[in-house]
Amino acid sequence: MKNTIRKAQLACLMALVIMGLSACKKNGGAVAGDGEKYLTCKINGKLHEFNYSVNANDKPATDTVHFVVIGGWEKQDMVTGFGIDMHLKEGAKETTYTANDASDLLLAGKYYIQNMKDGKIVGTTIYNGGDLDGSSFTLTITSLTKWGVKGTFSGKLKLLGGEEYLTVTEGKFSAPYN
């Protein structure tokens, strides 16, 4: 129970970090560098495009990439978004990573919805995959360069603080470093 609460708190913190990174991107949805920008997936069979302000974490200061953070929003209003975060002591590689409530891998996929009232954010509904009981998340990194990161993802996301699940399939992304 204590481990689940700790994971949930970490998940909330990472979601806020991802949202902050996405909100700070200066060029909105414009492509910069040597690649196309996108973050798309199907959630319960419905296609979602989180292509507004797609980006990855800050460019690594060393050759070893210890964390991969990717985020994007469906629209400029930044109400619904998707994020991926992974932390690896030994460094990220171009391979497949899978996390579930029984693994020690710090990897999570997050679908978040800003709850609005009178034009103000009054809370955030978050579905996590990979770090909550009964959830899972798979990330395949297909390219990890000085430009950014590309790959695919899928998972079973669980409502933070609830029992509802979402199925994420056909996820793909191409995100430049911030």
Side-chain angles (χ1 to χ4, degrees):
M1 178 70 174
K2 189 176 189 181
N3 191 26
T4 302
I5 293 171
R6 185 178 159 278
K7 285 182 177 183
Q9 290 170 332
L10 178 62
C12 286
L13 177 62
M14 289 312 301
L16 294 173
V17 168
I18 291 167
M19 289 185 283
L21 285 173
S22 296
C24 294
K25 189 72 176 161
K26 291 183 176 89
N27 68 346
V31 175
D34 69 353
E36 187 178 3
K37 289 173 42 165
Y38 56 84
L39 192 160
T40 64
C41 66
K42 288 186 177 178
I43 300 175
N44 289 345
K46 181 182 176 197
L47 178 65
H48 289 262
E49 296 180 347
F50 302 96
N51 294 333
Y52 180 75
S53 197
V54 173
N55 65 83
N57 47 277
D58 290 337
K59 185 179 264 188
T62 66
D63 289 338
T64 303
V65 179
H66 292 285
F67 62 97
V68 175
V69 179
I70 302 148
W73 298 94
E74 276 194 297
K75 298 177 186 173
Q76 192 171 358
D77 63 10
M78 296 183 176
V79 171
T80 56
F82 199 95
I84 301 167
D85 59 285
M86 179 173 68
H87 303 268
L88 297 166
K89 185 181 260 186
E90 67 277 3
K93 308 272 187 257
E94 292 174 355
T95 191
T96 299
Y97 300 92
T98 300
N100 58 44
D101 60 336
S103 70
D104 289 332
L105 179 62
L106 292 175
L107 166 64
K110 296 166 181 24
Y111 174 56
Y112 33 89
I113 305 158
Q114 301 290 357
N115 304 317
M116 308 293 286
K117 183 175 181 179
D118 299 326
K120 295 180 183 180
I121 298 171
V122 294
T124 305
T125 301
I126 302 172
Y127 292 85
N128 282 13
D131 58 356
L132 294 178
D133 291 342
S135 72
S136 63
F137 194 76
T138 299
L139 169 68
T140 299
I141 297 176
T142 58
S143 175
L144 191 61
T145 66
K146 291 183 180 190
W147 174 80
V149 60
K150 298 178 183 181
T152 62
F153 61 94
S154 61
K156 180 180 175 184
L157 282 56
K158 182 179 180 181
L159 176 64
L160 189 63
E163 293 301 320
E164 182 182 350
Y165 289 90
L166 300 176
T167 301
V168 175
T169 58
E170 299 178 38
K172 60 184 178 177
F173 63 91
S174 177
Y177 289 122
N178 224 356

